Amino acid sequence: LEAAETPGGRLASRRVEGWVLDRGFQVLNPAYPELGRALDLEALDLQPFDPGLAVASGGRLHVLADPRRRPAALASWLQTSLIPWPERLGLLRLAAWVALPRQPLRPGRWPERSLRDELARLGVPDGAVDRLLRPFLQGVLLETELATSARVARLILRSFLAGTPALPAHGMAAVGAALAARLPVGCLRTGTPVAEVREGEVRLASGERIRARAVLVATDPTSAASLLPGLRVPPCRSVTTLFFRAPSSPWRRRLLVVDAEDRLVANTCVLTEVAPSYGPAPTAGALVQASVLGAPAADEHAALAQAVRGRLARLHGTDTTGWDLLAVVPVPDALPTAEPPWPIRRQARRSGSIFVCGDHRATPSLQGALVSGRHAASEILQALTSEPGGRRSR
């Protein structure tokens, strides 16, 4: 029972004058193990970013490519002034902490602390945090204080080391559509909001009642709490993405740009450089996104767009006065907070026949949402087979 007209929740896209606008700036990381289990990634026609990052600092743009995938890019790391040599040892310790598999990943084996405190423990210098890590992570974690659980941040960072983020050729909504396409015909009802959940029963907003042996609430945290009184859910972090149409591409690279000088813009990129299919035609111009933390009221959008357009002129090194604003897309429920203590996995069963899942029950990511759903399905099957006369079915 899906309240929206299309499946996917936050994985939504729409077309505006032929341009594909996702519900906020999102990327798909093919290194997430659960994605490969749930989807045929080749069918999504993934368009990868260049492996690396561009950081605005000191009045210039520092391009740092991943030397593991682009060996020739090692020179950019050796020559960059963004991270002085004395600070690089701390970054190496961070990379080892993220990459090396070890027992502390298991719940209960590692003291819970924030990412900020973990970076201090690892001896990562404040300069490296402020010039590189914080600018990048604010667009990933949607916060600037690095208060997220270090265990959660480590899992997310490991996925970035293991894979190169990409965009589905036809927008992030393609993920939800691909998942729905695997369902038996007739079992998904869209445009069907649920008003109430009870033991063995769901009441729709239309007044219709549906009986069920088990009910799984797979929604955002706020909706889950409204349907399941007493359910403790974390608050959500918000983000707003502005989409601009530029007469031509401001640069010909498929890189994400982050800002170490000004915290207004969390990140920006030229979407049509990464995925040309996000635009109506090569001659139509370029689609540029810019994300800012928070979700301002509608009457503040015009002022926000003006400020962001001015900052993008500095970040992309071009005149942006001729850029058309296509849309301002606030996402108030973009990401559940995951501050310590944060259990990586929670039990799905809420009561006798009611279960709950979502990224607010695991890691705040697409990987977490899929893992939580799979674990919930296993619990439901186990519960149904334990009923008198129950039998396992697929």
Side-chain angles (χ1 to χ4, degrees):
L1 304 171
E2 168 60 55
E5 295 300 327
T6 57
R10 281 164 281 172
L11 298 178
S13 310
R14 61 189 175 107
R15 284 191 176 269
V16 175
E17 300 176 17
W19 303 90
V20 176
L21 309 186
D22 291 329
R23 186 169 182 251
F25 174 61
Q26 303 183 54
V27 298
L28 188 148
N29 194 327
Y32 283 150
E34 207 66 24
L35 276 174
R37 298 189 184 105
L39 291 170
D40 177 4
L41 293 178
E42 289 188 7
L44 294 178
D45 191 12
L46 296 180
Q47 309 293 301
F49 283 76
D50 287 337
L53 192 67
V55 184
S57 178
R60 56 171 293 197
L61 205 59
H62 302 259
V63 176
L64 302 174
D66 187 344
R68 298 172 306 151
R69 297 181 175 90
R70 303 280 174 85
L74 181 60
S76 67
W77 282 93
L78 296 175
Q79 298 169 5
T80 184
S81 60
L82 181 67
I83 307 297
W85 281 97
E87 297 182 0
R88 299 188 184 194
L89 181 59
L91 289 179
L92 290 175
R93 286 194 292 268
L94 172 63
W97 172 74
V98 170
L100 293 180
R102 38 184 156 158
Q103 287 297 99
L105 250 179
R106 295 176 57 187
R109 296 290 186 90
W110 184 16
E112 274 277 36
R113 56 174 67 94
S114 69
L115 178 58
R116 178 183 58 248
D117 292 341
E118 186 65 27
L119 293 175
R121 187 190 70 82
L122 291 169
V124 181
D126 291 343
V129 173
D130 291 335
R131 289 190 300 275
L132 177 61
L133 297 177
R134 194 189 311 272
F136 169 64
L137 289 171
Q138 70 173 345
V140 176
L141 305 175
L142 303 187
E143 53 115 348
T144 60
E145 300 305 314
L146 306 182
T148 298
S149 161
R151 292 174 57 230
V152 169
R154 183 186 180 210
L155 289 172
I156 294 173
L157 287 171
R158 286 180 74 179
S159 72
F160 279 99
L161 286 180
T164 301
L167 296 172
H170 301 291
M172 290 296 291
V175 177
L179 289 169
R182 300 183 63 179
L183 298 174
V185 175
C187 78
L188 173 65
R189 293 174 58 177
T190 58
T192 309
V194 171
E196 185 180 16
V197 170
R198 294 180 177 180
E199 290 289 347
E201 183 182 81
V202 170
R203 181 173 63 83
L204 306 184
S206 64
E208 178 185 354
R209 295 180 183 272
I210 299 175
R211 297 289 300 171
R213 293 170 63 195
V215 178
L216 175 61
V217 177
T219 69
D220 63 89
T222 303
S223 298
S226 68
L227 292 171
L228 302 174
L231 179 70
R232 296 182 61 184
V233 298
C236 284
R237 293 184 175 128
S238 56
V239 65
T240 298
T241 301
L242 297 89
F243 294 95
F244 296 92
R245 175 178 52 198
S248 60
S249 179
W251 72 335
R252 298 293 178 181
R253 304 194 72 157
R254 297 176 298 169
L255 278 175
L256 190 67
V257 180
V258 300
D259 195 351
E261 298 176 333
D262 189 308
R263 292 189 182 182
L264 173 62
V265 175
N267 55 51
T268 178
C269 71
V270 184
L271 290 167
T272 43
E273 289 292 337
V274 183
S277 51
Y278 270 48
T283 57
L287 179 62
V288 182
Q289 72 83 21
S291 293
V292 302
L293 303 189
D299 59 1
E300 300 176 281
H301 287 181
L304 176 64
Q306 182 177 357
V308 168
R309 187 185 275 108
R311 188 58 193 161
L312 292 181
R314 296 285 301 274
L315 293 175
H316 290 291
T318 188
D319 182 9
T320 60
T321 55
W323 290 14
D324 296 326
L325 178 66
L326 291 173
V328 178
V329 183
V331 188
D333 55 352
L335 204 66
T337 60
E339 297 183 3
W342 182 266
I344 295 297
R345 178 180 174 183
R346 292 174 170 85
Q347 182 179 359
R349 195 168 197 166
R350 176 69 180 164
S351 60
S353 64
I354 298 176
F355 300 77
V356 59
C357 71
D359 63 349
H360 58 99
R361 312 286 294 173
T363 56
S365 62
L366 180 54
Q367 166 73 8
L370 290 171
V371 168
S372 178
R374 179 165 56 83
H375 288 162
S378 296
E379 288 190 38
I380 290 172
L381 287 174
Q382 184 176 6
L384 294 182
T385 54
S386 66
E387 291 180 355
R391 66 177 184 178
R392 190 178 184 119
S393 61
R394 296 186 64 182

